[in-house]
Amino acid sequence: MSYNNSHDLCSNLNEEQDSEFTQMTDKVVSRRSFLAGMGALGLGAFVATTPLAQSVQAAMKAKVQSKLMGFKPIAASTADTVVVPEGYKVSNLISWGDPLFVNAPEFDPSGKAPASAQAQQFGDNTDGMSLFPLSDDRAVLAINNEYTNNDLLFDHKGENMTADDVLKAQNAHGVSVFEIQKTAKGWEVDRAGKLNRRITANTPMKVTGPAAGHDLLKTAADATGTEVLGTFNNCANGETPWGTYLTCEENFHNYFGTADETYQVPAAQKRYGVKPADKRYQWSKFDERFDIAKNPNEPNRHGWVVEIDPMDPQSKPLKRTALGRFKHENAALMIDNSGHVVVYLGDDERGEHLYKFVSKGKYNASNKASNRNLLEEGTLYVAKFAATEGELKGKGQWIELTFGKNGLTPENGFISQAEVLIHTRLAATQVGGTTMDRPEWVAVHPNKMSACCTLTNNKNRGKKDNQPVAGPNPRAGNKYGQIVRWTPANGDHTATEFDWDLFVIAGNPSVHKEGLLAGSQNVTTENMFNSPDGLGFDKGGRLWIMTDGKYSNKDDFAGMGNNQMLCADPETGEIHRFLAGPVACEVTGLTFSPDQKTMFVGIQHPGE
């Protein structure tokens, strides 16, 4: 999430067979549509090793156009529709409230539908997603449903909540898993799919890893500290080469509260934003599990990465505590050349950190079943960036977050590895991790040479003592955001050292003629944007950038239009605008069909 604290839709963008201009849709996209899909371009491979400044300057001098981006860029848009380039078309795949099962009720826009209906329908506010092929023309989509818009979910707009309303909201959260098939009309949802499933805030889950069974995870309902109900505020995602889906719990703190005015929130939970007030969702008023005075440990059971098997609707999701507890954005998983699994993780809050997990075991490509517990055990690290004053590149190191090392000792409040992981934020502060400008999505280049992370914005940069202007966070009161890129030492993602630079610094050169507010050299009046959020590479090495920022189109944001998706060539530094969303939306979540001709894209909270 970025400037907005909300999200919504999924669609299909397909490459046209002819070159005629296609305006994607003939009418305004429905407020509940879920935008998915766009045609991919010809594939290619490259090595992104040159620093940003050199690559951009070289491209400008030689006037070389990227060979990866063969489409005509679109202009910024303020239209209340979705816009894509010539030769591409868009279609709606699924929307909030659409049935996922043959006998599920159709969407009821009145806001009076019961909780039981929502449990069988596509959830609210789409975000991260992954596609799992079954064949060339059939696949399973797993899509996060992050939160609810109570103004639309209820006829009373959330002002007169009941127990069934809370259950309805809980059923609108979580993950929607469903089969899709390619027909003459394009990709469509198969309501009869045997793998179709809704995972909600009440789905039974198992806690695994070093924190499983710890006293801080035990409640009256679960004395073992290993059985949890539900996942919610699922932001972005990841996927594994052994065929599972990773959904990431972000702003879980919003769902807890208490009417007990005497209750004092523990300091460790305050770091995660837990407060007695529960005005937004009001779950604690009707579900005691969310009353922190009655169940003070329940918040500790959320804020994890959850692993789901999309091929087994009866399987129990697994909360993987070895990956740490914080406000997860996504989980960018790759197999290092050493065979170890490496997962990069951002903590989406101002002044929080960037993390890396390295598995203890190694991936076995010839036996997928043997890999199922690779996220069970490993080492978690936090990033520390260094740079010479004024430089926009430098060195960095990954600091180990292991009990007994780097000050993570009883003297400093840590008495076990379980507590290091339950209080990951406190551990990162203890070891001196760099505070970042809201690290959101991470993406690893398919050639494994580099990785990138969106740093969305940060109004506190340069204003709070623990958030100085330095290194990859070069602007005070950062309103535009940037993307940091790093290359691990010797091409080894398990290494503890890396080099970094800023691939792009977003800005507005039409308002600010020079300086960092104008953006880096690869930002122009033709491609400018703010608040990069979603991020992902396709197989050809194109970097897709999605935004969730200010769409006022005035003052510092004049000329930027609605939120958008851009395509970048990491080798040349070129960035072209590919898609513009409808008014007030966030563009978020992407995945591709097996033939790379369709991209599925999420449009969240159109119209806010």
Side-chain angles (χ1 to χ4, degrees):
M1 297 191 322
S2 191
Y3 275 101
N4 312 306
N5 209 17
S6 29
H7 305 53
D8 202 7
L9 316 160
C10 181
S11 338
N12 285 321
L13 273 165
N14 296 286
E15 190 171 11
E16 294 271 60
Q17 296 301 312
D18 58 270
S19 59
E20 295 180 359
F21 178 82
T22 303
Q23 182 65 19
M24 258 172 118
T25 53
D26 295 327
K27 57 184 179 180
V28 174
V29 175
S30 163
R31 283 295 175 209
R32 36 184 298 272
S33 303
F34 172 67
L35 169 71
M38 73 185 91
L41 307 165
L43 301 183
F46 60 87
V47 179
T49 56
T50 37
L52 170 66
Q54 295 178 10
S55 64
V56 175
Q57 289 173 0
M60 292 177 68
K61 287 181 180 179
K63 296 183 179 180
V64 174
Q65 291 186 337
S66 170
K67 296 180 180 179
L68 290 177
M69 297 186 288
F71 63 91
K72 181 180 178 181
I74 65 169
S77 172
T78 57
D80 201 16
T81 188
V82 180
V83 182
V84 289
E86 296 179 23
Y88 295 84
K89 65 179 180 180
V90 67
S91 61
N92 186 59
L93 178 71
I94 192 168
S95 307
W96 160 57
D98 282 349
L100 289 180
F101 306 93
V102 172
N103 297 321
E106 294 291 336
F107 174 73
D108 179 358
S110 71
K112 296 181 179 180
S116 58
Q118 182 63 76
Q120 302 176 73
Q121 298 168 335
F122 185 68
D124 202 359
N125 286 294
T126 180
D127 209 308
M129 69 183 87
S130 292
L131 181 144
F132 300 88
L134 297 174
S135 66
D136 290 342
D137 57 4
R138 179 172 285 272
V140 175
L141 270 178
I143 303 177
N144 289 349
N145 300 118
E146 187 173 8
Y147 70 101
T148 54
N149 293 106
N150 286 353
D151 283 356
L152 302 176
L153 189 64
F154 307 113
D155 61 336
H156 53 70
K157 302 184 184 299
E159 295 178 359
N160 299 294
M161 296 290 285
T162 66
D164 190 70
D165 288 336
V166 167
L167 181 58
K168 180 179 179 180
Q170 292 173 342
N171 287 343
H173 283 72
V175 181
S176 295
V177 182
F178 54 93
E179 294 185 37
I180 59 173
Q181 57 187 343
K182 192 173 185 180
T183 69
K185 298 179 181 179
W187 288 95
E188 297 181 337
V189 175
D190 182 4
R191 297 182 185 178
K194 295 180 179 180
L195 302 179
N196 294 4
R197 180 185 188 186
R198 276 305 320 280
I199 296 170
T200 73
N202 288 296
T203 300
M205 302 188 175
K206 181 180 180 181
V207 181
T208 78
H214 191 274
D215 285 347
L216 288 173
L217 298 187
K218 294 178 181 178
T219 65
D222 172 31
T224 70
T226 62
E227 298 291 332
V228 175
L229 288 181
T231 184
F232 42 87
N233 212 270
N234 303 79
C235 193
N237 64 299
E239 58 190 81
T240 72
W242 51 91
T244 58
Y245 181 69
L246 303 178
T247 184
C248 303
E249 299 174 342
E250 191 188 26
N251 291 310
F252 62 91
H253 67 289
N254 286 324
Y255 300 84
F256 295 91
T258 184
D260 186 346
E261 297 181 356
T262 66
Y263 181 74
Q264 297 294 316
V265 178
Q269 289 193 7
K270 286 183 179 179
R271 176 66 183 272
Y272 288 84
V274 177
K275 298 178 180 179
D278 181 15
K279 298 179 181 179
R280 182 174 183 182
Y281 294 107
Q282 305 176 58
W283 289 8
S284 67
K285 297 178 181 179
F286 300 92
D287 187 341
E288 285 192 355
R289 181 158 64 99
F290 296 91
D291 187 322
I292 52 177
K294 297 177 180 178
N295 288 286
N297 282 345
E298 189 66 29
N300 297 332
R301 293 149 64 88
H302 305 278
W304 305 101
V305 173
V306 183
E307 186 172 8
I308 297 168
D309 184 351
M311 301 301 172
D312 182 1
Q314 304 305 316
S315 62
K316 182 177 287 188
L318 307 171
K319 295 208 174 189
R320 298 299 197 183
T321 66
L323 276 64
R325 175 176 166 268
F326 42 90
K327 295 180 182 178
H328 288 275
E329 186 70 14
N330 81 323
L333 185 148
M334 56 90 68
I335 306 299
D336 185 63
N337 294 330
S338 65
H340 292 281
V341 173
V342 176
V343 189
Y344 289 110
L345 307 149
D347 184 355
D348 182 13
E349 192 161 307
R350 302 178 188 95
E352 289 301 335
H353 305 279
L354 177 65
Y355 298 89
K356 177 180 76 172
F357 168 85
V358 178
S359 68
K360 180 179 179 180
K362 294 185 178 182
Y363 177 69
N364 183 351
S366 62
N367 185 357
K368 287 190 176 182
S370 67
N371 303 307
R372 285 304 181 101
N373 289 318
L374 285 175
L375 301 182
E376 182 82 2
E377 189 175 3
T379 304
L380 191 65
Y381 301 84
V382 66
K384 185 174 184 178
F385 293 80
T388 302
E389 185 175 356
E391 290 283 342
L392 299 179
K393 60 182 180 179
K395 300 285 186 180
Q397 64 181 126
W398 294 101
I399 306 175
E400 188 173 344
L401 299 179
T402 297
F403 174 67
K405 297 183 179 181
N406 301 317
L408 300 178
T409 61
E411 292 78 11
N412 293 317
F414 300 93
I415 61 174
S416 67
Q417 183 62 19
E419 290 199 8
V420 169
L421 296 169
I422 294 169
H423 303 316
T424 302
R425 283 185 167 182
L426 301 180
T429 296
Q430 177 63 45
V431 305
T434 299
T435 58
M436 307 291 283
D437 287 349
R438 294 189 56 198
E440 297 215 35
W441 291 52
V442 182
V444 181
H445 193 285
N447 67 15
K448 301 184 181 181
M449 294 295 292
S450 61
C452 299
C453 178
T454 50
L455 303 177
T456 295
N457 55 57
N458 184 3
K459 66 181 181 181
N460 296 332
R461 179 62 57 184
K463 299 178 181 180
K464 290 193 173 182
D465 291 342
N466 69 334
Q467 299 181 46
V469 175
N473 310 287
R475 294 178 293 190
N478 180 13
K479 62 183 66 177
Y480 293 126
Q482 62 269 9
I483 297 177
V484 62
R485 174 174 60 185
W486 63 94
T487 302
N490 302 315
D492 179 3
H493 284 270
T494 70
T496 57
E497 297 182 347
F498 59 89
D499 294 303
W500 68 268
D501 66 4
L502 290 178
F503 173 68
V504 61
I505 303 174
N508 192 328
S510 69
V511 174
H512 306 283
K513 301 305 180 183
E514 59 184 18
L516 291 180
L517 292 179
S520 48
Q521 286 182 299
N522 50 350
V523 172
T524 71
T525 56
E526 301 300 318
N527 70 1
M528 58 186 178
F529 61 95
N530 73 89
S531 294
D533 187 334
L535 196 68
F537 284 100
D538 62 26
K539 290 182 179 179
R542 299 170 196 81
L543 181 63
W544 297 91
I545 305 167
M546 297 166 281
T547 73
D548 179 23
K550 291 287 189 180
Y551 44 81
S552 65
N553 210 42
K554 62 182 181 180
D555 301 327
D556 282 324
F557 305 95
M560 290 186 170
N562 298 338
N563 278 304
Q564 56 192 282
M565 170 183 276
L566 306 107
C567 184
D569 183 335
E571 177 69 9
T572 67
E574 293 173 80
I575 301 174
H576 294 170
R577 184 182 294 109
F578 185 88
L579 176 150
V583 172
C585 80
E586 170 188 355
V587 181
T588 180
L590 78 162
T591 192
F592 298 88
S593 62
D595 60 10
Q596 295 281 290
K597 290 184 177 180
T598 301
M599 177 190 277
F600 300 88
V601 185
I603 299 296
Q604 195 182 84
H605 62 69
E608 193 88 326

